Amino acid sequence: MNKDVKILLRKVGIFVLPVFAWICIVLIVDPFNYFSVSNLISIKAKGKSAQQLNSLLYNAVNFKNNPTNSIIIGDSRIRKLPNERIKEITGDTYYTMYSNAAKLNEIIDLFWFSTEHSKLKNVLIGINFNLYNEYAYANRVADVKEMIDNPFIYIFNNNTAETIYLTLKNELLGISGKGGRNKEEFWNYNIQTIAKNHYSKYKYPEKILERLQEMSAYCKTNGIKLTVLIVPIHLDFHNRLMDYNLSEQEQRFKNEIKGIGNVIDFGYANIITNNKACFGDPLHTTDSIGKIMVDEIFLDSLVIGREL
């Protein structure tokens, strides 16, 4: 072998070996269970890291790998609906396909993603007024689908690298609990800042109703039971919409989604929305409230929730 060839092979090796090493690391850690070829890293460490950094990708991959014919889709607020309790009542296994800060167009995209991987029977979708806004838009589902379809994008994605680092940290050092966040300060931050972000800039979403109607028509054609859930948010947060003159827009939203499916509304003034003890923060209810909602919806015994 001549000297030039040796030099070339050495240079190729300098490039290829790190790439090969990285691929091995991804296969071993695999925080989103994309390949599921290694069990050296605990499910708890992977799940904690992946849900924290990219819940959308984590849940989409898991659904693709383990599809069910019953599904819950929404933002982080629908996480509190206990799937185990739903199965006790109905006998059906539900999968919760949520994404932190999901937008309504993404929730609709996730519905169509779900139809590609399962013959759906039951669909429950969480939709609140703050999502019914032209400015509440993101397009992360397209990126996730591209990543799912192309393993090289997954392997060499910055988000994968960051999640691998956090997964290894959690595995080696243990999963740390939440910091000592002052609940009252965080509550007030949500009321003052987050609510302003949600309500201060509003434009009626011209195309969203049409997309919801397409989804509804598909469900009717294919015998899928579609339920729309308006989850409770605390009145401190909800009533900020009046500061921006959006009360009529909220009522328009509720009137328009009536025809989409069976709509259950917990998002009005009631014993849940007026009680801080029912919430971890103004937007997210406690586990006990999640169970109450599930019992009312799936036992057909509405007491607090009301059918629109």
Side-chain angles (χ1 to χ4, degrees):
M1 186 180 297
N2 65 48
K3 185 177 180 179
D4 290 339
V5 173
K6 288 181 179 180
I7 293 173
L8 177 61
L9 290 175
R10 189 179 299 117
K11 289 182 178 180
V12 171
I14 291 172
F15 172 77
V16 170
L17 287 177
V19 172
F20 179 75
W22 176 247
I23 292 173
C24 291
I25 291 171
V26 174
L27 291 173
I28 292 170
V29 180
D30 195 13
F32 297 97
N33 299 312
Y34 187 100
F35 298 104
S36 297
V37 296
S38 171
N39 57 4
L40 292 178
I41 305 298
S42 68
I43 294 175
K44 187 175 182 181
K46 292 200 288 186
K48 176 70 175 179
S49 308
Q51 294 277 26
Q52 178 180 334
L53 294 181
N54 195 333
S55 55
L56 175 57
L57 177 59
Y58 182 83
N59 289 317
V61 170
N62 272 351
F63 183 78
K64 175 181 176 293
N65 292 341
N66 305 283
T68 62
N69 59 16
S70 298
I71 191 168
I72 300 170
I73 309 174
D75 61 17
S76 58
R77 286 174 284 188
I78 51 91
R79 290 183 64 186
K80 294 298 183 179
L81 301 179
N83 294 334
E84 299 82 2
R85 178 58 179 159
I86 298 175
K87 187 169 185 178
E88 287 179 13
I89 297 171
T90 67
D92 295 317
T93 299
Y94 276 73
Y95 183 84
T96 301
M97 177 90 78
Y98 81 93
S99 172
N100 293 327
K103 311 308 180 191
L104 184 48
N105 67 290
E106 294 180 312
I107 291 171
I108 297 170
D109 290 341
L110 284 174
F111 168 80
W112 293 113
F113 171 83
S114 302
T115 64
E116 295 172 6
H117 300 284
S118 175
K119 184 175 175 57
L120 297 175
K121 182 174 74 171
N122 301 294
V123 175
L124 188 152
I125 291 185
I127 303 176
N128 279 63
F129 170 65
N130 69 296
L131 300 179
Y132 205 67
N133 186 345
E134 186 74 26
Y135 294 116
Y137 177 86
N139 192 29
R140 295 171 295 171
V141 177
D143 294 335
V144 165
K145 290 180 67 175
E146 186 179 25
M147 201 178 301
I148 288 175
D149 292 337
N150 189 332
F152 288 102
I153 295 177
Y154 172 75
I155 290 171
F156 298 106
N157 184 272
N158 288 336
N159 196 254
T160 302
E162 185 179 359
T163 311
I164 285 174
Y165 167 76
L166 184 58
T167 300
L168 291 174
K169 180 180 176 182
N170 286 336
E171 181 74 9
L172 297 174
L173 302 179
I175 298 174
S176 59
K178 292 182 178 179
R181 185 174 63 190
N182 184 292
K183 183 174 180 178
E184 193 63 28
E185 288 181 1
F186 188 63
W187 187 279
N188 291 332
Y189 171 77
N190 272 270
I191 301 305
Q192 299 302 321
T193 303
I194 303 301
K196 179 181 178 181
N197 293 341
H198 282 203
Y199 296 132
S200 63
K201 190 177 181 181
Y202 181 84
K203 182 179 179 182
Y204 178 77
E206 297 289 345
K207 300 294 183 181
I208 282 294
L209 181 60
E210 181 179 329
R211 292 197 67 196
L212 288 171
Q213 289 170 338
E214 290 173 356
M215 184 180 66
S216 176
Y218 179 89
C219 289
K220 290 176 182 176
T221 300
N222 291 276
I224 301 169
K225 181 181 179 181
L226 175 63
T227 302
V228 177
L229 172 63
I230 302 175
V231 302
I233 61 176
H234 195 273
L235 288 180
D236 286 354
F237 191 102
H238 171 272
N239 291 344
R240 285 299 309 279
L241 64 82
M242 291 186 285
D243 297 337
Y244 301 98
N245 301 313
L246 293 176
S247 295
E248 290 185 6
Q249 291 291 350
E250 182 192 31
Q251 190 56 52
R252 179 181 181 181
F253 153 71
K254 291 187 177 183
N255 289 336
E256 289 186 344
I257 65 169
K258 284 181 183 179
I260 302 304
N262 181 36
V263 181
I264 308 297
D265 181 16
F266 286 88
Y268 67 98
N270 58 57
I271 60 174
I272 294 176
T273 59
N274 200 33
N275 186 353
K276 274 190 176 184
C278 296
F279 294 83
D281 63 58
L283 288 172
H284 297 87
T285 56
T286 61
D287 292 340
S288 60
I289 299 303
K291 182 178 181 300
I292 289 173
M293 286 192 286
V294 161
D295 285 349
E296 290 201 13
I297 294 168
F298 291 93
L299 289 173
D300 293 323
S301 57
L302 295 181
V303 177
I304 303 171
R306 59 188 185 185
E307 197 166 356
L308 294 184

